[in-house]
Amino acid sequence: MRISALCLSAIAAMSLVDSGLFASAELVSLNVDRGLKKSKGLKKSKKSKKSLKKAKKDGKGKGGGAGSDSMMFSTAGPPDGDNICEGKKVEIPNVQCVIDQINQTGEQAGANVTMGYVGGMDVGAVPITVPYYQKGLCPVNVHWHLGTEHLSVGEYDENGSGPTEIAHRRKLAGKARQGFQCNLYDADVDMFTDHYDWQYCTDMEVGQTYEVHWPHSTIGACGTLNQYQSPFYDGVFCHSELLTADTVINENVG
């Protein structure tokens, strides 16, 4: 599963779902004020200036309003027809991972993604080290969590902070761990505190830390109208009939 941690600045929530923005397990501090305003100390390329100029021009003719400096995005409801992935979630019960210091399950995604960290678990699985599409996996969902579920010491960890504490809200949401926050948050810096009118998401905060997940699968409805699913398990196991006793899960689900 592609994972990114965000220390969220003033940015439209719909930008989060562009999987081209973030690489796997990286910390991103975004400074996007009033749409695509230039950050202090950064210069836009000629290409980005032209793209922004075109976006503003297009926005004026498509509901952007005169003088609008925000990118306009069209929205649409789900397509007509049957959702072939609905209800395809495979029921896999949760189990205790370790009992009496003995592992009861195989390896999963590494919880500690700190640069240079080496875990102590003896594993046999080989991770996918090339772009997922080269192995036939496609993204089937995009979602994010309040606080990070993975740890990167010095980037997002127990010493991080945000506009509000997150442990209580994660507990109310049924999360066992309190989660980690970004180390870059600074209440005295405008990019972490500027007001933003959220249009597509609820209970989101500028300056807060979110971990974004892009579940991928080789047995999703890749390249079709049913590719993206919620819950994401329906997308991951859409064509579960293709699973066999020889299927290596970590090579087919990421």
Side-chain angles (χ1 to χ4, degrees), residues 169-220:
R169 279 183 289 164
R170 282 179 58 88
K171 185 176 181 180
L172 291 177
K175 301 291 185 181
R177 294 188 291 265
Q178 70 175 34
F180 303 109
Q181 287 179 288
C182 177
N183 285 198
L184 298 180
Y185 177 76
D186 188 338
D188 295 324
V189 177
D190 289 345
M191 72 182 226
F192 293 116
T193 59
D194 282 351
H195 175 75
Y196 182 79
D197 292 321
W198 298 95
Q199 302 175 59
Y200 298 93
C201 301
T202 58
D203 300 322
M204 302 286 282
E205 296 177 290
V206 172
Q208 191 53 272
T209 304
Y210 300 93
E211 183 172 291
V212 185
H213 290 180
W214 288 278
H216 284 62
S217 177
T218 61
I219 55 175

Side-chain angles (χ1 to χ4, degrees), residues 65-111:
S68 172
D69 60 357
S70 297
M71 293 282 284
M72 300 303 298
F73 292 83
S74 62
T75 59
D80 294 331
D82 295 331
N83 179 3
I84 63 171
C85 302
E86 185 176 2
K88 289 297 186 72
K89 175 184 177 181
V90 175
E91 295 298 334
I92 303 175
N94 290 323
V95 299
Q96 187 70 30
C97 293
V98 180
I99 299 177
D100 295 331
Q101 299 183 332
I102 299 176
N103 293 323
Q104 305 297 311
T105 64
E107 58 274 355
Q108 299 183 45

Side-chain angles (χ1 to χ4, degrees), residues 5-250:
L6 298 177
C7 189
L8 194 61
S9 176
I11 180 171
M14 53 276 198
S15 297
L16 294 174
V17 300
D18 180 0
S19 58
L21 284 176
F22 312 117
S24 176
E26 65 181 345
L27 181 71
V28 183
S29 178
L30 298 171
N31 182 12
V32 185
D33 180 18
R34 291 170 60 81
L36 294 173
K37 179 180 176 182
K38 182 168 63 177
S39 304
K40 184 178 180 181
L42 299 178
K43 293 183 179 180
K44 291 181 183 175
S45 66
K46 292 182 179 180
K47 184 177 181 180
S48 66
K49 286 182 179 180
K50 290 181 180 179
S51 298
L52 178 56
K53 185 176 181 181
K54 183 178 184 301
K56 289 182 178 179
K57 182 178 179 181
D58 292 344
K60 291 179 182 179
K62 299 180 181 179
S68 172
D69 60 357
S70 297
M71 293 282 284
M72 300 303 298
F73 292 83
S74 62
T75 59
D80 294 331
D82 295 331
N83 179 3
I84 63 171
C85 302
E86 185 176 2
K88 289 297 186 72
K89 175 184 177 181
V90 175
E91 295 298 334
I92 303 175
N94 290 323
V95 299
Q96 187 70 30
C97 293
V98 180
I99 299 177
D100 295 331
Q101 299 183 332
I102 299 176
N103 293 323
Q104 305 297 311
T105 64
E107 58 274 355
Q108 299 183 45
N112 190 333
V113 295
T114 304
M115 181 69 74
Y117 174 80
V118 178
M121 185 177 183
D122 185 19
V123 300
V126 178
I128 298 174
T129 58
V130 297
Y132 281 0
Y133 74 88
Q134 293 183 13
K135 294 294 185 179
L137 290 86
C138 69
V140 296
N141 173 276
V142 180
H143 65 271
W144 53 88
H145 301 266
L146 173 63
T148 74
E149 300 188 335
H150 293 71
L151 168 69
S152 182
V153 176
E155 292 185 288
Y156 37 98
D157 55 27
E158 65 276 5
N159 297 315
S161 61
T164 61
E165 296 294 330
I166 64 173
H168 178 64
R169 279 183 289 164
R170 282 179 58 88
K171 185 176 181 180
L172 291 177
K175 301 291 185 181
R177 294 188 291 265
Q178 70 175 34
F180 303 109
Q181 287 179 288
C182 177
N183 285 198
L184 298 180
Y185 177 76
D186 188 338
D188 295 324
V189 177
D190 289 345
M191 72 182 226
F192 293 116
T193 59
D194 282 351
H195 175 75
Y196 182 79
D197 292 321
W198 298 95
Q199 302 175 59
Y200 298 93
C201 301
T202 58
D203 300 322
M204 302 286 282
E205 296 177 290
V206 172
Q208 191 53 272
T209 304
Y210 300 93
E211 183 172 291
V212 185
H213 290 180
W214 288 278
H216 284 62
S217 177
T218 61
I219 55 175
C222 300
T224 75
L225 291 176
N226 292 305
Q227 177 172 328
Y228 285 89
Q229 295 288 322
S230 181
F232 73 85
Y233 291 108
D234 283 354
V236 168
F237 295 110
C238 183
H239 290 295
S240 56
E241 69 275 7
L242 299 178
L243 291 172
T244 69
D246 297 323
T247 300
V248 181
I249 293 298
N250 67 284

